[in-house]
Amino acid sequence: YLLFVPVIWIALRWGVPGAMLATLGIQIALVLVARDATRAPPLMDLQFLMVVLSATALLLGAVVTDRATALKRVAQSEARQRALLEMAPDAVLAIDRAGRIAGSNPAALRLFGGEGAGIREGATADSLLPGLSLDMEEGHAALDARRQGGSTFPAEVAWARLDEPAGEGFLVTVRDVSDRRRVQEELRERDTALARAMRFAVAGELA
């Protein structure tokens, strides 16, 4: 019975491989000891105890091995998601149910805080995205976002509610469309100038 303590510890520490090796070593030792009938109980009696010991060790080892495998998969998934967020060109904000910024990626730090600056601790979504209403599970909006320095910029915002077990809150992506607005404005000015030139050309031909 004293063998249960080290065998259980081995199963919890090394999983199924450790449990198998431990029970195999004990089985070999029992066979060698049971050869001398005067010093040990009959081998058959020891085998019943060995079955219980082996079943306990293998069950614990299987649980530990499955848990280690699941933790490894979760760690790999989190590493992939973290890499995707860090490489994303758009700002990504995690907002809790109280409306506070719970997390952000490097693009969000650059967009709202400037190069090398971070988002203030305890900052709220309304301070960065005034007018944003997260009353639906997912959606899109166009608004004027505000940097921590006070300047504003046009932004396109998309959000989605986080499902359990991630917790209550929203994942919000923010894209700065200042360059697009500037290009569109330049195109409109160019079209206006072209139309004016065409009208002058037509008037000159008529004259």
Side-chain angles (χ1 to χ4, degrees):
Y1 292 104
L2 293 178
L3 293 175
F4 273 87
V5 176
V7 169
I8 289 175
W9 180 81
I10 292 173
L12 293 176
R13 181 66 178 81
W14 287 288
V16 173
M20 293 179 63
L21 291 176
T23 53
L24 179 61
I26 294 173
Q27 178 66 37
I28 294 174
L30 287 179
V31 171
L32 295 177
V33 171
R35 292 175 61 184
D36 188 356
T38 61
R39 295 174 52 194
L43 181 60
M44 187 59 65
D45 295 341
L46 294 176
Q47 290 305 315
F48 286 110
L49 297 176
M50 192 63 196
V51 168
V52 178
L53 179 64
S54 301
T56 303
L58 292 176
L59 287 175
L60 286 177
V63 171
V64 171
T65 301
D66 290 343
R67 181 176 181 272
T69 303
L71 290 176
K72 183 179 180 180
R73 288 198 298 266
V74 170
Q76 292 175 347
S77 178
E78 290 181 350
R80 287 193 295 267
Q81 293 177 2
R82 192 179 302 110
L84 290 174
L85 288 176
E86 291 179 354
M87 296 176 61
D90 296 334
V92 180
L93 301 173
I95 301 175
D96 60 19
R97 60 181 179 179
R100 293 187 298 268
I101 306 298
S104 58
N105 67 339
L109 300 181
R110 293 190 297 268
L111 182 61
F112 290 102
E115 290 292 341
I119 297 176
R120 286 191 302 268
E121 183 178 357
T124 62
D126 188 63
S127 64
L128 302 180
L129 302 169
L132 179 64
S133 178
L134 300 176
D135 53 356
M136 297 185 297
E137 291 190 357
E138 60 182 22
H140 300 80
L143 49 82
D144 289 332
R146 181 183 296 117
R147 294 187 175 89
Q148 294 188 134
S151 61
T152 61
F153 61 92
E156 291 181 350
V157 182
W159 68 88
R161 185 185 297 275
L162 294 173
D163 297 327
E164 295 294 341
E168 296 184 6
F170 290 88
L171 196 66
V172 179
T173 61
V174 183
R175 175 175 297 177
D176 185 357
V177 294
S178 301
D179 293 338
R180 185 193 305 173
R181 294 280 182 86
R182 184 170 58 253
V183 171
Q184 291 175 349
E185 185 64 26
E186 291 176 354
L187 289 176
R188 281 195 296 268
E189 293 177 356
R190 187 178 304 170
D191 291 341
T192 302
L194 181 60
R196 186 183 303 112
M198 291 292 293
R199 286 197 297 271
F200 283 132
V202 171
E205 290 180 0
L206 290 176

